[in-house]
Amino acid sequence: MTSPADPHTRTWSHINGPSQDVLDRYAITELCKGWPVYRDASEWKNYRSLFTDDACVWTTWSSALPVDKFIEVSKEGKKNGVFIMHRECGTLAELGDSRTRAIGKMKATITHRFTEGGVAYDVDCDCRFIFFCEKQAATQEWKAKYVKLFYEKDKVVPVDGQTVPKWDKSELSTYPEGYRHLAMAQAKLGYKIDMNLPTPHDDGLWKRMYGEIENWLEDREVDLHWALN
């Protein structure tokens, strides 16, 4: 579970306020929702339009990748039968004081379909996508420069309502709680799993992620490139 302690040290523009703030926050939440809508449907041109030229994204299976490379490997995965969908569960945004940077927070469930030993199953992972957004000076459009997730809890879901694969618990425990079932299933496909993604169960990475969120909102440098085990 998450801690009862508030991870933020202050608040930023997140509800109400001047009309321009409301419009900016709406544009950012619209941008965030483009991830599940466009990526799941392979609408790659629409998906690419969400990001800056030099954007970087992180996932369990890809670690940090420039967005164009991420699109390339996503296409290759789909060609090879990788089936990942996303359910958006609610999205809000916070504007930095300068109104040139913002954070989008999108609650979502990642659902990845697997087949193992003839058994089809899904792994559902509840998470929060964090979009580090900036307003482009030339166009006044919002774009995402970084996307990194909090992974909060996951589970295996039997497609037929009753059958799931049996996994070694000691091996399962080597992956971070919060996305360990997703990680183990993806590792079986040959992916190198990023073991340093923030979860409620790792207080250090949880606090670091919130620290970088606040750095972004206060126009400071951010460092999201944590080491890959």
Side-chain angles (χ1 to χ4, degrees):
M1 66 177 65
T2 56
S3 166
D6 190 333
H8 272 312
T9 61
R10 51 161 291 197
T11 61
W12 287 265
S13 172
H14 63 289
I15 56 170
N16 300 318
S19 296
Q20 188 58 52
D21 279 12
V22 175
L23 288 171
D24 280 331
R25 294 197 310 265
Y26 180 83
I28 294 156
T29 59
E30 188 177 53
L31 179 157
C32 296
K33 294 175 186 180
W35 184 296
V37 171
Y38 297 143
R39 187 184 182 279
D40 290 3
S42 299
E43 295 182 17
W44 300 116
K45 290 184 289 294
N46 283 338
Y47 181 76
R48 183 62 181 85
S49 72
L50 306 174
F51 301 93
T52 63
D53 291 342
D54 58 347
C56 184
V57 302
W58 285 255
T59 70
T60 53
W61 57 269
S62 70
S63 298
L65 284 179
V67 66
D68 290 309
K69 181 65 175 177
F70 181 76
I71 291 172
E72 180 184 325
V73 297
S74 295
K75 288 180 178 180
E76 189 64 25
K78 288 193 174 197
K79 188 185 300 182
N80 293 330
V82 175
F83 188 16
I84 303 173
M85 304 293 281
H86 304 80
R87 294 190 290 267
E88 187 258 339
C89 305
T91 304
L92 288 172
E94 296 170 345
L95 295 177
D97 294 336
S98 70
R99 300 306 192 263
T100 60
R101 284 185 174 186
I103 290 289
K105 298 176 177 178
M106 183 177 75
K107 289 182 65 66
T109 299
I110 300 167
T111 178
H112 191 159
R113 174 65 54 86
F114 299 91
T115 301
E116 185 177 332
V119 175
Y121 63 97
D122 288 339
V123 177
D124 286 0
C125 184
D126 294 330
C127 58
R128 280 182 297 146
F129 282 72
I130 305 299
F131 292 77
F132 292 73
C133 302
E134 57 185 17
K135 182 176 273 192
Q136 306 303 289
T139 63
Q140 295 298 291
E141 294 179 342
W142 287 97
K143 301 287 183 179
K145 186 175 178 66
Y146 305 114
V147 181
K148 197 164 192 174
L149 286 68
F150 288 102
Y151 293 86
E152 293 173 325
K153 65 181 178 69
D154 67 341
K155 63 184 177 183
V156 178
V157 181
V159 171
D160 65 3
Q162 57 185 356
T163 312
V164 294
K166 297 187 184 303
W167 289 344
D168 181 84
K169 290 185 178 180
S170 61
E171 183 182 357
L172 184 64
S173 68
T174 64
Y175 295 101
E177 186 176 358
Y179 60 100
R180 61 176 37 148
H181 300 87
L182 182 61
M184 185 159 171
Q186 289 176 337
K188 289 177 179 291
L189 295 181
Y191 290 111
K192 183 173 176 60
I193 303 301
D194 191 331
M195 304 288 279
N196 290 290
L197 298 169
T199 78
H201 315 283
D202 186 325
D203 193 53
L205 291 181
W206 181 269
K207 289 180 177 177
R208 176 163 184 177
M209 183 71 159
Y210 268 101
E212 299 300 349
I213 290 171
E214 297 201 349
N215 285 338
W216 184 257
L217 289 170
E218 294 182 354
D219 294 323
R220 296 192 292 264
E221 292 293 320
V222 299
D223 180 12
L224 297 171
H225 292 271
W226 310 329
L228 174 66
N229 287 346

